[in-house]
Each structure stands twice: as C-alpha cells, then as structure tokens.
Amino acid sequence: HRDLHSFPTRRSSDLGDQSFLLVTRFGELIRKLWNPKNFKAHVSPHEMLQSVVLCSKKKFQITHQGDAGAFLPWFLNSLHLALGGTKKRNSSIVYKNFLGTMKIHSKRMLPADAGAFKTKEAEQSGEYDWKVAESPFLFLTSELPPPPLFKDELHENIIPQVSLYNILSKFNGVTENEYKTYKDNFLKRFEITQLPRFIILYIKRFTKNTFFVEKNPTIVNFPVKSIEFGDLLTPEVKAKHKEGTTYDLMANIVHDGKPDTGSYKVHVLHKGSGKWYEMSDLYCTEILPQMITLTEAYIQVYERRD
C-alpha cells in the first residue's frame, strides 16, 4: 500500500494515458472489423483516428493527408510502448512480429586531400578501421537509383525500372554504400542477422531539399509470391532460421501523383480467396496481381510462409 502511494498520480492528459487510448481504440476497430456477428456492412475508424491526432500531438490529422512512411513507424512504436514494450523482442506483440536485427559495419573515410603523412597517421590511430554495431530494425529502408536526367530521342519521358532484388542487395552484408554526414563520409555494410515474421520494406521515394520535395518515379519490379530473403543472409545465419526465409507480399502501399498533391492507395491480399484488392478511402475494387507490380510502390509488407 505504501509503495503504491509513492508513485506520482498521472493526469488523463499524460502521454502514457494517450498512448493507451490509441491501443484501446485500435483494438476496438480490429474487433469490429473481424466480428462475424456485426450487422453493419461497414466500420468507421473515426474514434481510432481521433486517438491518433491526440497521441501524435496533431502531427497526424484527419483533415490533412500525412506521409505514410512517417506514420507507420510512429504507429508501431506508439503501440509497442503503450503495451509496456521494452528493448526486448518478446516485450510486446509488435516486436515479436516485426523486429529484426542486423549488424552495421561502418568505416570512416579519409578526406580526398589527405596527404601521405596524414593517411599513415590515420591508419595507425585505428580511427578509420571498420567498426561493427548490432542494431534492431522494425523496417528496412531501401534507396532507389537516381532517375535519368534526360529524355530519350523521341522526346518522351523514360520511366526507369529497377528489380526488387537490386534494391535489397544493400542488406547482403557485402555491398558497400557511401553515406555523408555534416563532418565526415562513411562506408557502410548492412548484414541481416535475424529476419522477423513480417518484413516492412520502406522504398525511399522522396528527397527534401531547402526549397521543395522531389519524388523518384522509378518502378520497382517485384514478384508477389516466393520472395527469398534468405539470399541476403550468410549460410550460417540462414541455417538458424528454422521457420524458413521465404516470404509472400501481403500489402503494398502506393503513392500516386506529385509529391505535394498526390494521394495514397493500398493493395491488400485477401487470404481466404487469394485475390488482391485496391483500396483508397471508400473505394475498393479487385485488382490483378500483375497490375500491382506496375505501381509506384512506397511501403510493402511481406509475411513469412509457415
């Protein structure tokens, strides 16, 4: 009794209570969606959206379209923390299903104008050696190759294309990528050590500069079934994945139009029938799987096969 009274009293406006409201409203929405006895043909997410506005301190609003790439990580992290989640994998249902781990190998690069003496000094100091750090991830961020600057000889815009496996090669533990910071340049390699049950792939389409946002229109060619993420792993790590390393696409979020005025739609697999549906607000229609691969994919969710 004395220990209980030693904790400070929280007001209902505290962040913890707001986060719990998000969990409650989301749970209610999911139960309504899957309730076989629900006599209504539709379910309104209004209360859940109101809790998003409150919990995000109006960062995400009902009246303005937000960035799906910013919303999804915020939403998953908010649910995880509100459910009492910690850094441990089994601390919440979110981490159990979405958390993976990787090793990040990084090496600081010498300046291009460094002389022989400076180079020798740097090598001896160990400051420019490869360093390894373990890092958890809730989603994988992949970059697109820059689009062509010029039109073809027929003066028509070229729609560039890239394979899914090309953009995933960033995570094979071998490919080196250069990253710039305010002071230094680094070489980095990303080596996945544990794949989660659900893989969220974030395809970086937007780049912001001082004046405006640019969108990369590159089309990503991807299969909707039997994606072998095990090809990214070392043989030793792949052998540890007893559950398997083959994944199927289950959701595909697309951004249509210009970066400032465009809109989002989502393709979702209906497991019962094996059919795909395209949804945007109240609009919902069946879509062929081969049409999904022609869209400007932004966020994808893959599920591991049982």
Side-chain angles (χ1 to χ4, degrees):
H1 179 76
R2 188 168 60 251
D3 291 340
L4 286 171
H5 280 276
S6 66
F7 286 102
T9 305
R10 290 194 304 177
R11 297 188 305 275
S12 61
S13 60
D14 285 350
L15 184 60
D17 290 325
Q18 291 178 9
S19 297
F20 189 69
L21 179 67
L22 183 71
V23 173
T24 307
R25 295 287 180 255
F26 181 61
E28 287 172 356
L29 176 63
I30 296 301
R31 288 196 298 277
K32 286 177 184 176
L33 282 170
W34 290 99
N35 183 4
K37 297 177 181 177
N38 194 358
F39 65 92
K40 290 182 180 178
H42 66 276
V43 174
S44 171
H46 186 73
E47 289 180 332
M48 184 261 182
L49 293 177
Q50 280 184 321
S51 68
V52 167
V53 176
L54 184 67
C55 189
S56 69
K57 297 182 179 178
K58 297 186 178 179
K59 180 181 178 182
F60 303 105
Q61 298 195 47
I62 299 174
T63 52
H64 297 90
Q65 179 174 272
D67 182 351
F71 173 73
L72 188 56
W74 172 86
F75 185 63
L76 289 177
N77 275 304
S78 297
L79 289 178
H80 169 70
L81 293 172
L83 290 165
T86 63
K87 292 181 179 180
K88 294 181 180 178
R89 175 178 300 278
N90 293 325
S91 59
S92 83
I93 192 170
V94 176
Y95 270 24
K96 278 181 186 177
N97 286 287
F98 293 100
L99 193 73
T101 55
M102 67 169 71
K103 287 180 182 176
I104 301 177
H105 304 256
S106 59
K107 177 184 180 181
R108 183 187 282 181
M109 297 174 66
L110 274 164
D113 57 352
F117 178 76
K118 177 74 175 173
T119 303
K120 187 70 176 174
E121 191 181 46
E123 287 174 356
Q124 291 176 345
S125 70
E127 206 176 329
Y128 293 85
D129 294 346
W130 282 101
K131 294 177 173 60
V132 184
E134 283 273 354
S135 177
F137 66 86
L138 275 178
F139 56 94
L140 299 173
T141 303
S142 60
E143 288 78 21
L144 293 170
L149 297 173
F150 305 103
K151 296 179 180 180
D152 64 10
E153 61 272 10
L154 298 174
H155 301 288
E156 295 178 354
N157 283 323
I158 303 168
I159 300 176
Q161 299 187 28
V162 66
S163 163
L164 173 71
Y165 296 103
N166 279 1
I167 64 173
L168 285 176
S169 65
K170 168 184 176 180
F171 304 103
N172 63 12
V174 178
T175 304
E176 294 179 357
N177 296 280
E178 188 175 337
Y179 294 88
K180 296 182 179 180
T181 63
Y182 179 69
K183 290 182 179 180
D184 298 296
N185 291 358
F186 288 86
L187 278 179
K188 290 191 177 184
R189 289 188 285 116
F190 302 92
E191 179 188 354
I192 295 176
T193 52
Q194 186 165 5
L195 290 168
R197 182 185 171 194
F198 296 95
I199 296 175
I200 300 174
L201 179 64
Y202 169 62
I203 300 167
K204 200 173 178 183
R205 287 207 172 269
F206 303 102
T207 50
K208 296 179 182 179
N209 58 34
T210 313
F211 303 104
F212 52 86
V213 179
E214 288 182 298
K215 180 183 174 184
N216 189 327
T218 300
I219 299 294
V220 179
N221 295 317
F222 56 89
V224 296
K225 287 184 178 180
S226 304
I227 297 94
E228 187 48 73
F229 278 86
D231 292 344
L232 300 172
L233 310 176
T234 63
E236 297 80 20
V237 170
K238 186 176 180 179
K240 292 179 181 177
H241 284 72
K242 305 299 182 185
E243 311 91 341
T245 55
T246 306
Y247 287 74
D248 296 322
L249 185 70
M250 62 179 301
N252 182 54
I253 298 172
V254 174
H255 184 271
D256 276 339
K258 295 180 180 179
D260 50 348
T261 58
S263 61
Y264 292 99
K265 60 187 177 187
V266 61
H267 302 124
V268 177
L269 173 66
H270 183 257
K271 283 188 173 183
S273 62
K275 293 179 180 179
W276 282 89
Y277 290 88
E278 180 177 285
M279 292 183 284
S280 178
D281 294 329
L282 297 177
Y283 167 82
C284 179
T285 185
E286 190 179 337
I287 185 172
L288 294 171
Q290 48 269 41
M291 298 301 293
I292 296 171
T293 62
L294 302 175
T295 57
E296 295 178 39
Y298 185 36
I299 300 170
Q300 297 183 319
V301 184
Y302 293 91
E303 181 182 14
R304 184 173 55 218
R305 284 190 174 181
D306 292 333

